[in-house]
Amino acid sequence: MNAAVTKWNKPISHASRAAAMLRAAIRVATGPAPGPVHLEIPADMFRADAGKDPVYREESLGVVNARRIPPEPGVMRRVVERLLKAERPLLIAGKGVIISEAWDEFARLARILNIPAVTTLGGKGAIDEDDDLAVGVMGRSSRIVANKAVNDCDLVLAVGTRFGGLPTSNWALPFEQKTILQIDSDPTVLGQNYRTEISVLADAKRALQAALDEVEGSKLQRGPTAWTTHIKGRIKQWRIDAAKLAQERPGDGIHPAEIIAQMRQVMGPDDIVGADTGALGSWIGGLFPVR
């Protein structure tokens, strides 16, 4: 056997091994589907010679959304066509829309196609809640009007949500009876809890922009429908009913709606509210930012 073939290269140094593990961890934490990682360093590595191998940083490593997954060619055309054929379509924004910074594209698609939009608690803020198409948060920590919209719709486009226990109210909302189109950058999420008619493995921002390109390129904009008008009426009535809650005076304290109403009076549009889990998160999720 040729000696050149059997000759081994110098073993990788401890520093290079550690750097490779760190890059892998950062790659997972900030990848197309960001997630938690656990990096464990063996104790013997702290006593080892680091060596002189160069340690490098990958380009764009450590920046969320730096490596966006584009949708498959033609798939967003199918999604748009299916949305336009539906009698009572509904858009759903999950936390993936926020992570992807796709709120502008999400809200624009809702407006250009005149489709009501709900969000999960993690997707709250994907559409301005003063918008007359913004139904609110669904599931637990939600609004009755949003859950009723889910009950009555016939098709949903879900972007960046896995349909977990919180947004489905412990899977009580009847998504199994709906036609579901789903967009997510994590392949394990697609079709995880409900059967989908169209699954799109893609970054939310790139997928929604592709949908907008299809709509605008083919002039597929749609005006108000009976469904949209009906939901807008429900939203208007819900806001009236929610505002009345702030006037209630329970005998044992202050109604949470009154606190939220007071917050709205003193807060500016760029102010941030941090709500812990539990009852406080539920009230903020459902009522904020009702004026």
Side-chain angles (χ1 to χ4, degrees), residues 161-222:
T161 176
R162 66 178 63 242
F163 290 106
L166 184 62
T168 62
S169 195
N170 286 336
W171 295 277
L173 293 178
F175 283 108
E176 72 280 353
Q177 302 171 17
K178 314 298 178 183
T179 298
I180 296 177
L181 319 178
Q182 189 175 13
I183 299 172
D184 209 282
S185 58
D186 185 348
T188 66
V189 165
L190 296 171
Q192 181 185 56
N193 289 320
Y194 297 101
R195 183 177 181 177
T196 61
E197 181 176 294
I198 302 177
S199 293
V200 181
L201 177 63
D203 167 72
K205 193 177 186 74
R206 294 196 63 170
L208 291 171
Q209 184 57 57
L212 289 168
D213 291 343
E214 292 289 349
V215 170
E216 294 169 344
S218 302
K219 298 182 180 180
L220 298 173
Q221 294 92 331
R222 182 170 65 174

CSV table of all heavy atoms in Angstrom, one decimal, residues 161-222:
chain,number,residue,atom,x,y,z
A,161,THR,N,-46.7,28.8,12.9
A,161,THR,CA,-47.2,28.2,14.1
A,161,THR,C,-47.3,26.7,14.0
A,161,THR,O,-47.6,26.2,12.9
A,161,THR,CB,-48.6,28.8,14.4
A,161,THR,OG1,-49.2,28.1,15.6
A,161,THR,CG2,-49.6,28.6,13.3
A,162,ARG,N,-47.1,26.0,15.1
A,162,ARG,CA,-47.2,24.5,15.1
A,162,ARG,C,-48.5,24.0,15.6
A,162,ARG,O,-48.7,22.9,15.7
A,162,ARG,CB,-46.1,24.0,16.0
A,162,ARG,CG,-46.2,24.2,17.5
A,162,ARG,CD,-45.1,23.6,18.3
A,162,ARG,NE,-43.8,24.1,17.9
A,162,ARG,CZ,-42.8,23.3,17.4
A,162,ARG,NH1,-43.0,22.0,17.2
A,162,ARG,NH2,-41.6,23.9,17.2
A,163,PHE,N,-49.5,25.0,15.8
A,163,PHE,CA,-50.8,24.6,16.3
A,163,PHE,C,-50.7,23.8,17.6
A,163,PHE,O,-51.2,22.7,17.8
A,163,PHE,CB,-51.6,23.7,15.3
A,163,PHE,CG,-52.0,24.4,14.1
A,163,PHE,CD1,-51.4,24.2,12.9
A,163,PHE,CD2,-53.1,25.3,14.1
A,163,PHE,CE1,-51.8,24.9,11.7
A,163,PHE,CE2,-53.5,26.0,13.0
A,163,PHE,CZ,-52.9,25.7,11.8
A,164,GLY,N,-50.0,24.5,18.6
A,164,GLY,CA,-49.8,23.8,19.9
A,164,GLY,C,-51.0,24.0,20.8
A,164,GLY,O,-52.1,24.5,20.4
A,165,GLY,N,-50.9,23.6,22.1
A,165,GLY,CA,-52.0,23.6,23.0
A,165,GLY,C,-52.5,25.0,23.3
A,165,GLY,O,-53.7,25.2,23.4
A,166,LEU,N,-51.7,26.0,23.4
A,166,LEU,CA,-52.1,27.4,23.7
A,166,LEU,C,-53.0,28.0,22.6
A,166,LEU,O,-54.1,28.4,22.9
A,166,LEU,CB,-50.9,28.3,24.1
A,166,LEU,CG,-51.3,29.7,24.5
A,166,LEU,CD1,-52.1,29.7,25.8
A,166,LEU,CD2,-50.0,30.5,24.8
A,167,PRO,N,-52.5,28.1,21.4
A,167,PRO,CA,-53.3,28.7,20.3
A,167,PRO,C,-54.5,27.9,19.9
A,167,PRO,O,-55.4,28.5,19.3
A,167,PRO,CB,-52.3,28.9,19.2
A,167,PRO,CG,-51.3,27.8,19.4
A,167,PRO,CD,-51.1,27.7,20.9
A,168,THR,N,-54.5,26.6,20.2
A,168,THR,CA,-55.7,25.8,19.8
A,168,THR,C,-56.7,25.6,21.0
A,168,THR,O,-57.6,24.9,20.9
A,168,THR,CB,-55.3,24.5,19.3
A,168,THR,OG1,-54.6,23.7,20.3
A,168,THR,CG2,-54.4,24.6,18.1
A,169,SER,N,-56.3,26.2,22.2
A,169,SER,CA,-57.1,26.0,23.4
A,169,SER,C,-57.2,24.6,23.7
A,169,SER,O,-58.3,24.0,23.8
A,169,SER,CB,-58.5,26.6,23.2
A,169,SER,OG,-59.2,26.7,24.5
A,170,ASN,N,-56.0,24.0,23.9
A,170,ASN,CA,-55.8,22.5,24.1
A,170,ASN,C,-56.5,21.7,23.1
A,170,ASN,O,-57.2,20.7,23.3
A,170,ASN,CB,-56.4,22.2,25.5
A,170,ASN,CG,-55.5,22.6,26.7
A,170,ASN,OD1,-54.3,22.8,26.5
A,170,ASN,ND2,-56.1,22.9,27.8
A,171,TRP,N,-56.3,22.1,21.8
A,171,TRP,CA,-56.8,21.4,20.6
A,171,TRP,C,-58.3,21.3,20.6
A,171,TRP,O,-58.9,20.4,20.0
A,171,TRP,CB,-56.2,20.0,20.6
A,171,TRP,CG,-54.7,20.1,20.3
A,171,TRP,CD1,-54.1,20.3,19.1
A,171,TRP,CD2,-53.7,20.1,21.3
A,171,TRP,NE1,-52.7,20.4,19.3
A,171,TRP,CE2,-52.4,20.2,20.6
A,171,TRP,CE3,-53.7,19.9,22.7
A,171,TRP,CZ2,-51.2,20.3,21.3
A,171,TRP,CZ3,-52.5,20.0,23.4
A,171,TRP,CH2,-51.3,20.1,22.7
A,172,ALA,N,-59.0,22.3,21.3
A,172,ALA,CA,-60.5,22.3,21.2
A,172,ALA,C,-61.0,23.0,20.0
A,172,ALA,O,-62.1,22.8,19.6
A,172,ALA,CB,-61.0,23.0,22.5
A,173,LEU,N,-60.2,24.0,19.5
A,173,LEU,CA,-60.7,24.6,18.2
A,173,LEU,C,-60.7,23.7,17.1
A,173,LEU,O,-59.8,22.8,16.9
A,173,LEU,CB,-59.8,25.8,17.9
A,173,LEU,CG,-59.8,27.0,18.9
A,173,LEU,CD1,-58.9,28.1,18.5
A,173,LEU,CD2,-61.2,27.6,19.0
A,174,PRO,N,-61.7,23.7,16.2
A,174,PRO,CA,-61.9,22.6,15.2
A,174,PRO,C,-61.1,22.7,14.0
A,174,PRO,O,-61.6,22.7,12.9
A,174,PRO,CB,-63.4,22.8,14.9
A,174,PRO,CG,-63.7,24.3,15.0
A,174,PRO,CD,-62.8,24.7,16.2
A,175,PHE,N,-59.8,22.8,14.1
A,175,PHE,CA,-58.9,22.9,13.0
A,175,PHE,C,-58.9,21.6,12.1
A,175,PHE,O,-58.6,21.6,10.9
A,175,PHE,CB,-57.5,23.2,13.4
A,175,PHE,CG,-57.2,24.6,13.8
A,175,PHE,CD1,-57.0,25.0,15.1
A,175,PHE,CD2,-57.3,25.6,12.8
A,175,PHE,CE1,-56.9,26.3,15.4
A,175,PHE,CE2,-57.1,27.0,13.1
A,175,PHE,CZ,-56.9,27.3,14.5
A,176,GLU,N,-59.3,20.5,12.7
A,176,GLU,CA,-59.3,19.2,12.0
A,176,GLU,C,-60.4,19.3,10.9
A,176,GLU,O,-60.4,18.5,10.0
A,176,GLU,CB,-59.5,18.0,12.9
A,176,GLU,CG,-60.8,17.9,13.5
A,176,GLU,CD,-61.0,18.8,14.7
A,176,GLU,OE1,-60.0,19.5,15.1
A,176,GLU,OE2,-62.1,18.8,15.3
A,177,GLN,N,-61.4,20.2,11.1
A,177,GLN,CA,-62.5,20.3,10.1
A,177,GLN,C,-62.2,21.4,9.0
A,177,GLN,O,-63.0,21.6,8.2
A,177,GLN,CB,-63.7,20.7,10.9
A,177,GLN,CG,-64.2,19.7,11.9
A,177,GLN,CD,-65.3,20.3,12.8
A,177,GLN,OE1,-66.0,21.2,12.4
A,177,GLN,NE2,-65.5,19.7,14.0
A,178,LYS,N,-61.0,22.0,9.1
A,178,LYS,CA,-60.7,23.1,8.2
A,178,LYS,C,-59.7,22.6,7.1
A,178,LYS,O,-58.9,21.7,7.3
A,178,LYS,CB,-60.1,24.3,8.9
A,178,LYS,CG,-60.8,24.7,10.2
A,178,LYS,CD,-62.3,25.1,9.9
A,178,LYS,CE,-63.0,25.5,11.2
A,178,LYS,NZ,-64.4,25.9,10.9
A,179,THR,N,-59.7,23.3,6.0
A,179,THR,CA,-58.6,23.1,5.0
A,179,THR,C,-57.4,24.0,5.5
A,179,THR,O,-57.6,25.2,5.8
A,179,THR,CB,-59.0,23.6,3.6
A,179,THR,OG1,-60.1,22.8,3.2
A,179,THR,CG2,-57.9,23.5,2.6
A,180,ILE,N,-56.3,23.4,5.6
A,180,ILE,CA,-55.1,24.1,6.2
A,180,ILE,C,-54.0,24.2,5.2
A,180,ILE,O,-53.6,23.2,4.6
A,180,ILE,CB,-54.6,23.4,7.5
A,180,ILE,CG1,-55.7,23.4,8.6
A,180,ILE,CG2,-53.3,24.0,8.0
A,180,ILE,CD1,-55.3,22.7,9.8
A,181,LEU,N,-53.5,25.4,5.0
A,181,LEU,CA,-52.3,25.7,4.2
A,181,LEU,C,-51.3,26.2,5.3
A,181,LEU,O,-51.6,27.1,6.1
A,181,LEU,CB,-52.5,26.8,3.2
A,181,LEU,CG,-53.9,26.7,2.4
A,181,LEU,CD1,-53.9,27.9,1.5
A,181,LEU,CD2,-54.0,25.4,1.6
A,182,GLN,N,-50.1,25.6,5.3
A,182,GLN,CA,-49.2,25.9,6.4
A,182,GLN,C,-47.8,26.3,5.8
A,182,GLN,O,-47.3,25.6,4.9
A,182,GLN,CB,-49.1,24.7,7.3
A,182,GLN,CG,-48.3,25.0,8.6
A,182,GLN,CD,-48.3,23.8,9.5
A,182,GLN,OE1,-48.7,22.7,9.2
A,182,GLN,NE2,-47.9,24.0,10.8
A,183,ILE,N,-47.2,27.3,6.4
A,183,ILE,CA,-45.9,27.8,6.0
A,183,ILE,C,-45.0,27.8,7.3
A,183,ILE,O,-45.4,28.3,8.3
A,183,ILE,CB,-45.9,29.2,5.5
A,183,ILE,CG1,-46.8,29.3,4.2
A,183,ILE,CG2,-44.5,29.7,5.2
A,183,ILE,CD1,-47.0,30.8,3.7
A,184,ASP,N,-43.9,27.1,7.2
A,184,ASP,CA,-42.9,27.1,8.3
A,184,ASP,C,-41.5,26.8,7.9
A,184,ASP,O,-41.4,26.0,6.9
A,184,ASP,CB,-43.4,26.1,9.4
A,184,ASP,CG,-42.9,26.5,10.8
A,184,ASP,OD1,-41.7,26.3,11.1
A,184,ASP,OD2,-43.8,27.0,11.6
A,185,SER,N,-40.5,27.3,8.6
A,185,SER,CA,-39.2,27.0,8.2
A,185,SER,C,-38.6,25.7,8.9
A,185,SER,O,-37.5,25.3,8.6
A,185,SER,CB,-38.3,28.2,8.6
A,185,SER,OG,-38.4,28.5,10.0
A,186,ASP,N,-39.5,25.1,9.7
A,186,ASP,CA,-39.1,23.9,10.4
A,186,ASP,C,-39.9,22.7,9.8
A,186,ASP,O,-41.1,22.7,9.9
A,186,ASP,CB,-39.4,24.0,11.9
A,186,ASP,CG,-38.9,22.8,12.7
A,186,ASP,OD1,-38.6,21.8,12.1
A,186,ASP,OD2,-38.9,22.8,13.9
A,187,PRO,N,-39.2,21.8,9.1
A,187,PRO,CA,-40.0,20.7,8.5
A,187,PRO,C,-40.7,19.8,9.4
A,187,PRO,O,-41.7,19.2,9.0
A,187,PRO,CB,-38.9,19.9,7.7
A,187,PRO,CG,-37.6,20.3,8.4
A,187,PRO,CD,-37.8,21.7,8.9
A,188,THR,N,-40.3,19.7,10.7
A,188,THR,CA,-41.0,18.9,11.6
A,188,THR,C,-42.3,19.5,12.1
A,188,THR,O,-43.1,18.8,12.7
A,188,THR,CB,-40.1,18.6,12.9
A,188,THR,OG1,-39.9,19.8,13.6
A,188,THR,CG2,-38.7,18.1,12.5
A,189,VAL,N,-42.5,20.8,11.8
A,189,VAL,CA,-43.8,21.4,12.3
A,189,VAL,C,-44.9,21.2,11.2
A,189,VAL,O,-46.1,21.1,11.6
A,189,VAL,CB,-43.5,22.9,12.5
A,189,VAL,CG1,-44.8,23.7,12.5
A,189,VAL,CG2,-42.7,23.1,13.7
A,190,LEU,N,-44.5,21.1,10.0
A,190,LEU,CA,-45.5,21.0,8.9
A,190,LEU,C,-46.3,19.7,9.1
A,190,LEU,O,-45.8,18.6,9.0
A,190,LEU,CB,-44.8,21.0,7.5
A,190,LEU,CG,-44.1,22.3,7.2
A,190,LEU,CD1,-43.2,22.2,5.9
A,190,LEU,CD2,-45.0,23.5,7.1
A,191,GLY,N,-47.6,19.9,9.2
A,191,GLY,CA,-48.5,18.8,9.4
A,191,GLY,C,-48.4,18.0,10.7
A,191,GLY,O,-48.8,16.9,10.8
A,192,GLN,N,-47.7,18.7,11.7
A,192,GLN,CA,-47.4,18.0,12.9
A,192,GLN,C,-48.7,17.6,13.7
A,192,GLN,O,-48.8,16.5,14.2
A,192,GLN,CB,-46.5,18.9,13.8
A,192,GLN,CG,-46.1,18.3,15.1
A,192,GLN,CD,-45.4,19.2,16.0
A,192,GLN,OE1,-45.8,20.3,16.3
A,192,GLN,NE2,-44.2,18.8,16.4
A,193,ASN,N,-49.6,18.6,13.8
A,193,ASN,CA,-50.8,18.3,14.6
A,193,ASN,C,-52.1,18.3,13.8
A,193,ASN,O,-53.1,17.7,14.3
A,193,ASN,CB,-51.0,19.4,15.7
A,193,ASN,CG,-49.9,19.3,16.8
A,193,ASN,OD1,-49.6,18.2,17.2
A,193,ASN,ND2,-49.4,20.4,17.2
A,194,TYR,N,-52.1,18.8,12.6
A,194,TYR,CA,-53.2,18.7,11.7
A,194,TYR,C,-52.8,18.5,10.3
A,194,TYR,O,-51.8,18.9,9.8
A,194,TYR,CB,-54.0,20.1,11.7
A,194,TYR,CG,-54.6,20.4,13.1
A,194,TYR,CD1,-53.9,21.3,13.9
A,194,TYR,CD2,-55.7,19.8,13.6
A,194,TYR,CE1,-54.4,21.6,15.2
A,194,TYR,CE2,-56.2,20.1,14.9
A,194,TYR,CZ,-55.6,21.0,15.7
A,194,TYR,OH,-56.0,21.3,16.9
A,195,ARG,N,-53.7,17.8,9.6
A,195,ARG,CA,-53.4,17.5,8.2
A,195,ARG,C,-53.4,18.8,7.3
A,195,ARG,O,-54.3,19.6,7.5
A,195,ARG,CB,-54.4,16.5,7.6
A,195,ARG,CG,-54.1,16.0,6.2
A,195,ARG,CD,-55.2,15.0,5.7
A,195,ARG,NE,-54.9,14.6,4.4
A,195,ARG,CZ,-55.6,13.6,3.8
A,195,ARG,NH1,-56.6,13.0,4.4
A,195,ARG,NH2,-55.3,13.2,2.5
A,196,THR,N,-52.5,18.9,6.4
A,196,THR,CA,-52.4,20.1,5.6
A,196,THR,C,-52.7,19.8,4.1
A,196,THR,O,-52.3,18.7,3.7
A,196,THR,CB,-51.1,20.8,5.7
A,196,THR,OG1,-50.0,19.9,5.2
A,196,THR,CG2,-50.8,21.2,7.1
A,197,GLU,N,-53.4,20.7,3.4
A,197,GLU,CA,-53.6,20.5,2.0
A,197,GLU,C,-52.3,21.0,1.2
A,197,GLU,O,-51.9,20.3,0.3
A,197,GLU,CB,-54.8,21.3,1.5
A,197,GLU,CG,-55.1,21.2,0.1
A,197,GLU,CD,-56.3,21.9,-0.4
A,197,GLU,OE1,-57.4,21.5,0.1
A,197,GLU,OE2,-56.2,22.9,-1.2
A,198,ILE,N,-51.7,22.0,1.7
A,198,ILE,CA,-50.4,22.5,1.1
A,198,ILE,C,-49.5,22.9,2.2
A,198,ILE,O,-49.8,23.6,3.1
A,198,ILE,CB,-50.6,23.8,0.2
A,198,ILE,CG1,-51.6,23.5,-0.9
A,198,ILE,CG2,-49.3,24.2,-0.3
A,198,ILE,CD1,-51.9,24.7,-1.7
A,199,SER,N,-48.3,22.2,2.2
A,199,SER,CA,-47.3,22.5,3.2
A,199,SER,C,-46.1,23.3,2.5
A,199,SER,O,-45.7,22.8,1.4
A,199,SER,CB,-46.7,21.3,3.9
A,199,SER,OG,-47.7,20.7,4.7
A,200,VAL,N,-45.7,24.4,3.0
A,200,VAL,CA,-44.6,25.2,2.4
A,200,VAL,C,-43.5,25.3,3.4
A,200,VAL,O,-43.6,25.9,4.4
A,200,VAL,CB,-45.1,26.6,2.0
A,200,VAL,CG1,-44.0,27.4,1.4
A,200,VAL,CG2,-46.3,26.5,1.2
A,201,LEU,N,-42.4,24.6,3.0
A,201,LEU,CA,-41.1,24.7,3.9
A,201,LEU,C,-40.4,26.0,3.4
A,201,LEU,O,-39.7,26.0,2.3
A,201,LEU,CB,-40.3,23.5,3.7
A,201,LEU,CG,-38.9,23.5,4.4
A,201,LEU,CD1,-39.1,23.6,5.9
A,201,LEU,CD2,-38.1,22.3,4.1
A,202,ALA,N,-40.5,27.0,4.2
A,202,ALA,CA,-39.9,28.3,3.8
A,202,ALA,C,-39.9,29.3,4.9
A,202,ALA,O,-40.6,29.2,5.9
A,202,ALA,CB,-40.6,28.9,2.6
A,203,ASP,N,-39.0,30.3,4.8
A,203,ASP,CA,-39.0,31.4,5.7
A,203,ASP,C,-40.3,32.2,5.5
A,203,ASP,O,-40.7,32.4,4.4
A,203,ASP,CB,-37.8,32.3,5.4
A,203,ASP,CG,-37.8,33.6,6.1
A,203,ASP,OD1,-37.7,33.7,7.3
A,203,ASP,OD2,-38.0,34.6,5.4
A,204,ALA,N,-40.9,32.7,6.6
A,204,ALA,CA,-42.2,33.4,6.5
A,204,ALA,C,-42.1,34.6,5.6
A,204,ALA,O,-43.0,34.9,4.8
A,204,ALA,CB,-42.6,33.7,7.9
A,205,LYS,N,-41.0,35.4,5.8
A,205,LYS,CA,-40.9,36.6,5.0
A,205,LYS,C,-40.8,36.4,3.6
A,205,LYS,O,-41.5,37.0,2.7
A,205,LYS,CB,-39.7,37.4,5.6
A,205,LYS,CG,-39.7,38.9,5.1
A,205,LYS,CD,-38.5,39.6,5.7
A,205,LYS,CE,-38.5,41.1,5.3
A,205,LYS,NZ,-39.5,41.8,6.1
A,206,ARG,N,-39.9,35.4,3.2
A,206,ARG,CA,-39.7,35.1,1.8
A,206,ARG,C,-41.0,34.5,1.2
A,206,ARG,O,-41.3,34.8,0.0
A,206,ARG,CB,-38.5,34.2,1.6
A,206,ARG,CG,-37.2,34.9,2.0
A,206,ARG,CD,-36.0,34.2,1.4
A,206,ARG,NE,-36.0,34.1,0.0
A,206,ARG,CZ,-34.9,33.7,-0.8
A,206,ARG,NH1,-33.8,33.3,-0.1
A,206,ARG,NH2,-35.0,33.7,-2.1
A,207,ALA,N,-41.7,33.6,1.9
A,207,ALA,CA,-42.9,33.0,1.4
A,207,ALA,C,-44.0,34.0,1.2
A,207,ALA,O,-44.7,34.0,0.2
A,207,ALA,CB,-43.3,31.9,2.3
A,208,LEU,N,-44.2,34.9,2.2
A,208,LEU,CA,-45.3,35.9,2.1
A,208,LEU,C,-45.0,36.9,1.0
A,208,LEU,O,-45.9,37.4,0.3
A,208,LEU,CB,-45.5,36.6,3.4
A,208,LEU,CG,-46.1,35.7,4.5
A,208,LEU,CD1,-46.0,36.4,5.9
A,208,LEU,CD2,-47.5,35.3,4.2
A,209,GLN,N,-43.7,37.2,0.8
A,209,GLN,CA,-43.3,38.2,-0.3
A,209,GLN,C,-43.6,37.5,-1.6
A,209,GLN,O,-44.1,38.2,-2.6
A,209,GLN,CB,-41.9,38.6,-0.2
A,209,GLN,CG,-41.4,39.6,-1.2
A,209,GLN,CD,-42.3,40.9,-1.2
A,209,GLN,OE1,-42.4,41.5,-0.1
A,209,GLN,NE2,-42.9,41.2,-2.3
A,210,ALA,N,-43.3,36.2,-1.7
A,210,ALA,CA,-43.6,35.5,-3.0
A,210,ALA,C,-45.1,35.5,-3.2
A,210,ALA,O,-45.5,35.6,-4.4
A,210,ALA,CB,-43.1,34.1,-2.9
A,211,ALA,N,-45.9,35.3,-2.2
A,211,ALA,CA,-47.4,35.4,-2.4
A,211,ALA,C,-47.8,36.8,-2.9
A,211,ALA,O,-48.6,36.9,-3.8
A,211,ALA,CB,-48.1,35.1,-1.0
A,212,LEU,N,-47.2,37.8,-2.3
A,212,LEU,CA,-47.5,39.2,-2.7
A,212,LEU,C,-47.1,39.4,-4.1
A,212,LEU,O,-47.9,40.1,-4.9
A,212,LEU,CB,-46.9,40.2,-1.8
A,212,LEU,CG,-47.4,40.3,-0.4
A,212,LEU,CD1,-46.5,41.1,0.5
A,212,LEU,CD2,-48.8,41.0,-0.4
A,213,ASP,N,-46.0,38.9,-4.5
A,213,ASP,CA,-45.5,39.0,-5.9
A,213,ASP,C,-46.5,38.3,-6.9
A,213,ASP,O,-46.8,38.9,-8.0
A,213,ASP,CB,-44.2,38.4,-6.1
A,213,ASP,CG,-43.1,39.2,-5.4
A,213,ASP,OD1,-43.3,40.3,-5.0
A,213,ASP,OD2,-42.0,38.6,-5.2
A,214,GLU,N,-47.1,37.2,-6.5
A,214,GLU,CA,-48.1,36.5,-7.3
A,214,GLU,C,-49.3,37.3,-7.4
A,214,GLU,O,-49.9,37.5,-8.5
A,214,GLU,CB,-48.4,35.1,-6.7
A,214,GLU,CG,-47.3,34.1,-6.8
A,214,GLU,CD,-47.0,33.6,-8.2
A,214,GLU,OE1,-47.8,33.9,-9.1
A,214,GLU,OE2,-46.0,33.0,-8.4
A,215,VAL,N,-49.8,37.9,-6.3
A,215,VAL,CA,-51.0,38.7,-6.3
A,215,VAL,C,-50.9,39.9,-7.1
A,215,VAL,O,-51.7,40.2,-8.0
A,215,VAL,CB,-51.4,39.1,-4.8
A,215,VAL,CG1,-52.5,40.1,-4.8
A,215,VAL,CG2,-51.8,37.8,-4.0
A,216,GLU,N,-49.8,40.6,-6.9
A,216,GLU,CA,-49.6,41.9,-7.6
A,216,GLU,C,-49.2,41.7,-9.1
A,216,GLU,O,-49.7,42.4,-10.0
A,216,GLU,CB,-48.5,42.7,-6.9
A,216,GLU,CG,-49.0,43.2,-5.5
A,216,GLU,CD,-47.9,43.8,-4.7
A,216,GLU,OE1,-46.7,43.5,-5.1
A,216,GLU,OE2,-48.1,44.4,-3.7
A,217,GLY,N,-48.4,40.6,-9.4
A,217,GLY,CA,-48.1,40.4,-10.8
A,217,GLY,C,-49.2,39.9,-11.6
A,217,GLY,O,-49.3,40.3,-12.8
A,218,SER,N,-50.2,39.2,-11.0
A,218,SER,CA,-51.3,38.7,-11.8
A,218,SER,C,-52.6,39.5,-11.5
A,218,SER,O,-53.7,39.1,-12.0
A,218,SER,CB,-51.6,37.2,-11.4
A,218,SER,OG,-50.4,36.5,-11.7
A,219,LYS,N,-52.5,40.6,-10.7
A,219,LYS,CA,-53.6,41.5,-10.4
A,219,LYS,C,-54.7,40.6,-9.8
A,219,LYS,O,-55.9,40.7,-10.3
A,219,LYS,CB,-54.1,42.2,-11.6
A,219,LYS,CG,-53.0,43.2,-12.2
A,219,LYS,CD,-53.5,44.0,-13.4
A,219,LYS,CE,-52.4,44.9,-13.9
A,219,LYS,NZ,-52.8,45.7,-15.0
A,220,LEU,N,-54.4,39.9,-8.7
A,220,LEU,CA,-55.4,39.0,-8.1
A,220,LEU,C,-56.0,39.6,-6.9
A,220,LEU,O,-56.6,38.9,-6.1
A,220,LEU,CB,-54.7,37.7,-7.7
A,220,LEU,CG,-54.1,36.9,-8.9
A,220,LEU,CD1,-53.3,35.7,-8.3
A,220,LEU,CD2,-55.2,36.4,-9.8
A,221,GLN,N,-55.9,40.9,-6.7
A,221,GLN,CA,-56.4,41.6,-5.5
A,221,GLN,C,-57.9,41.3,-5.5
A,221,GLN,O,-58.6,41.3,-6.5
A,221,GLN,CB,-56.2,43.1,-5.6
A,221,GLN,CG,-54.7,43.5,-5.4
A,221,GLN,CD,-54.0,43.6,-6.8
A,221,GLN,OE1,-54.4,42.9,-7.7
A,221,GLN,NE2,-53.0,44.5,-6.9
A,222,ARG,N,-58.4,41.2,-4.2
A,222,ARG,CA,-59.8,40.9,-4.0
A,222,ARG,C,-60.5,42.0,-3.2
A,222,ARG,O,-59.9,42.4,-2.1
A,222,ARG,CB,-60.0,39.5,-3.4
A,222,ARG,CG,-61.5,39.2,-3.2
A,222,ARG,CD,-61.7,37.7,-2.9
A,222,ARG,NE,-61.1,37.4,-1.6
A,222,ARG,CZ,-61.3,36.3,-0.9
A,222,ARG,NH1,-61.9,35.3,-1.6
A,222,ARG,NH2,-60.7,36.1,0.2
